[in-house]
Amino acid sequence: MKRKKTFILFLCIIIILPISGCQKTPNDVKEKSLKHQKAEDVKETDIKYVSVDHILDNQEKVLSKTYQNLSFQNTVHLEQPDSVSVLSLTVANPFGTKKKLADICSVFWGTDQYRKEIVRLDDLREFPGGIGVYAFNYYADNTADSARMSDNGYVALYKENAEMFTSNRQTICHVDWNENLDVVYDIGGEEVSIREAVDYVNNWCNKNWITFEPEYSYQVKTVYVCKTKQKGYYYYFDVCKVYKGMPFDDISFYIDVDNFYIRNSLDVVMEHKNELSFFRNNNNSYDIAKNEEHNDKLIGLEQAVLLVQEKMTGAQKFEIADIDLKYVIRSDLTYNDLVERDIPSYVMPGCPVTARPTWSFILDYQPGREEEAGDPWPRKFINVDMISGEILYRDSI
């Protein structure tokens, strides 16, 4: 995973000084100047809280208003959560068992032939310090059927020669935008619409994987249509884990050694109709240690927009393609904590993390070639904590 340079931005005020003179202003300078705003035009506002039932109040009015540094595209899609909490979690300890892996393999391959081949692997070079793995054909990569399930909840199932990445991506379909779902592609010699494929994956996860992480429901968020010379088209799915109506973050990003953020989603590949060829649980599984509900004191949509306008003043004009309500996971451990406690990694079984409810304003931009190579859909975003109002801005790789 490439490290993405991000930073926490609490207040950034840039005052654009007037330019005097009789020379005509070039068009490109005019266009650039539109990206900058006058800080004194934005009023600071006290945070006002609402209940969970009112966080989307005045949605149409809020999104259609004119703001100094924000505009909202018609792709913005919001869903009402059932409940909102701060979740204290621990990395699963342990998640894996031989029976668990055998059971999911039986469903994935449609046969029980691999049950006797599963072995326990400890002291692996990939996991110094003690993460154990149940597996068969552990080092086979994608050259043979193989599977693994680790103590911390990482699970990967590969069929022989399965595609595991969004290689040669042709297009992106945003399912939550109801975008291009009826487009049909030839997948493994059969015509399969994106909608059919999404329905199959949703049903598969909510029937089969839910046995292993029953606290969630599962919903495809994004489909990547990919193509190889040898096999033709295949679908790659970003599947969100949804807790009481609100998904966990599916974006991989990095800030610094004191802030380890972790996505919590599934990766799935379909190369033949009604059949999965690759399944991965990223990055771990979690046990809920404490659920602190905040249903009566939350920052609603209107307040979140005002906070973004205030805190991001002077940066540029932000084009918002979507707004996600989600749980963002951050490890409770810093790099110094790991060193002092002699812990090899923040994803070791039993390590504490916290999931906080967040408004995530997804920015519309064209990623560079380097970003596209390292991430299926690299996204810039402005996150607003739904309780504290803290702003987290991720600008670029």
Side-chain angles (χ1 to χ4, degrees):
M1 180 179 67
K2 293 180 179 292
R3 291 188 169 187
K4 319 277 185 173
K5 181 182 177 184
T6 60
F7 58 91
I8 297 178
L9 184 62
F10 292 102
L11 186 61
C12 177
I13 301 178
I14 300 175
I15 300 177
I16 305 302
L17 299 176
I19 300 175
S20 61
C22 56
Q23 187 174 7
K24 187 177 179 180
T25 306
N27 287 332
D28 61 335
V29 174
K30 286 182 178 179
E31 291 173 1
K32 289 179 181 179
S33 70
L34 292 175
K35 294 181 179 181
H36 299 280
Q37 312 299 321
K38 293 182 180 181
E40 62 269 20
D41 291 342
V42 177
K43 296 180 181 179
E44 291 192 19
T45 178
D46 294 331
I47 293 180
K48 298 177 182 178
Y49 296 98
V50 297
S51 69
V52 66
D53 295 330
H54 294 282
I55 58 174
L56 298 184
D57 281 1
N58 304 315
Q59 178 182 156
E60 185 176 339
K61 177 182 176 182
V62 170
L63 298 180
S64 62
K65 284 179 63 176
T66 300
Y67 299 93
Q68 185 191 69
N69 57 354
L70 292 172
S71 63
F72 297 96
Q73 299 181 359
N74 59 12
T75 50
V76 172
H77 173 81
L78 293 163
E79 293 190 9
Q80 173 70 43
D82 303 322
S83 180
V84 175
S85 302
V86 174
L87 301 173
S88 298
L89 311 172
T90 56
V91 179
N93 185 27
F95 180 86
T97 67
K98 183 175 181 178
K99 182 180 184 304
K100 269 188 176 181
L101 181 56
D103 289 346
I104 193 63
C105 285
S106 180
V107 173
F108 185 75
W109 273 277
T111 175
D112 221 23
Q113 65 179 345
Y114 294 119
R115 186 173 294 270
K116 293 182 179 180
E117 296 184 27
I118 296 171
V119 296
R120 170 76 178 186
L121 303 173
D122 289 296
D123 301 320
L124 291 163
R125 63 176 181 267
E126 296 92 337
F127 303 114
I131 294 181
V133 175
Y134 290 92
F136 71 88
N137 288 343
Y138 182 73
Y139 291 108
D141 294 322
N142 68 335
T143 58
D145 288 352
S146 60
R148 62 203 67 180
M149 177 180 285
S150 69
D151 289 342
N152 66 359
Y154 176 86
V155 176
L157 311 172
Y158 312 74
K159 290 184 179 176
E160 182 179 357
N161 296 319
E163 298 295 332
M164 298 180 288
F165 307 103
T166 56
S167 304
N168 196 18
R169 185 175 67 238
Q170 304 295 296
T171 189
I172 299 176
C173 173
H174 301 284
V175 177
D176 51 338
W177 299 358
N178 197 30
E179 179 184 66
N180 300 323
L181 292 179
D182 293 315
V183 175
V184 174
Y185 290 90
D186 185 308
I187 304 296
E190 295 187 75
E191 298 292 306
V192 184
S193 72
I194 294 175
R195 187 183 303 277
E196 287 179 282
V198 167
D199 288 345
Y200 179 83
V201 172
N202 282 339
N203 290 336
W204 194 96
C205 293
N206 285 292
K207 177 182 178 182
N208 300 307
W209 184 250
I210 200 169
T211 304
F212 303 92
E213 291 186 306
E215 61 271 34
Y216 308 132
S217 61
Y218 300 89
Q219 183 176 321
V220 173
K221 180 180 177 66
T222 312
V223 182
Y224 307 95
V225 181
C226 304
K227 187 178 184 181
T228 66
K229 291 181 180 180
Q230 295 78 15
K231 303 178 184 178
Y233 290 102
Y234 66 92
Y235 292 140
Y236 188 107
F237 305 87
D238 171 19
V239 184
C240 284
K241 300 178 184 180
V242 182
Y243 181 74
K244 294 186 177 180
M246 195 156 77
F248 278 81
D249 199 357
D250 65 321
I251 302 177
S252 294
F253 64 97
Y254 176 82
I255 292 183
D256 54 41
V257 295
D258 287 329
N259 294 277
F260 299 120
Y261 288 89
I262 313 165
R263 74 176 175 125
N264 187 23
S265 60
L266 306 176
D267 295 332
V268 174
V269 172
M270 177 185 288
E271 298 179 48
H272 297 276
K273 184 176 181 178
N274 294 342
E275 180 183 335
L276 306 185
S277 60
F278 172 67
F279 176 94
R280 179 169 58 204
N281 185 30
N282 274 311
N283 283 305
N284 325 289
S285 185
Y286 300 94
D287 298 322
I288 299 176
K290 183 180 180 182
N291 181 340
E292 183 183 341
E293 288 192 353
H294 281 265
N295 289 329
D296 296 325
K297 192 177 182 182
L298 296 166
I299 292 172
L301 172 63
E302 186 170 15
Q303 183 70 68
V305 171
L306 293 176
L307 284 170
V308 171
Q309 180 175 234
E310 175 191 330
K311 303 300 183 182
M312 301 303 294
T313 297
Q316 62 183 26
K317 187 78 172 183
F318 295 105
E319 298 283 342
I320 307 301
D322 204 359
I323 303 175
D324 292 336
L325 290 85
K326 60 188 179 184
Y327 286 109
V328 175
I329 295 179
R330 185 174 71 178
S331 174
D332 293 351
L333 303 175
T334 66
Y335 176 76
N336 287 335
D337 292 332
L338 299 178
V339 172
E340 291 173 2
R341 303 182 196 180
D342 194 26
I343 301 174
S345 169
Y346 58 90
V347 296
M348 294 295 292
C351 283
V353 304
T354 299
R356 295 190 64 86
T358 302
W359 292 99
S360 189
F361 294 78
I362 307 300
L363 308 184
D364 182 36
Y365 85 110
Q366 183 60 45
R369 190 171 296 178
E370 183 183 2
E371 290 177 301
E372 286 186 332
D375 196 322
W377 180 33
R379 282 158 282 180
K380 295 181 181 181
F381 58 77
I382 305 167
N383 282 357
V384 181
D385 189 293
M386 292 180 68
I387 296 169
S388 69
E390 181 182 17
I391 302 287
L392 174 66
Y393 175 41
R394 174 183 179 268
D395 182 25
S396 61
I397 195 168

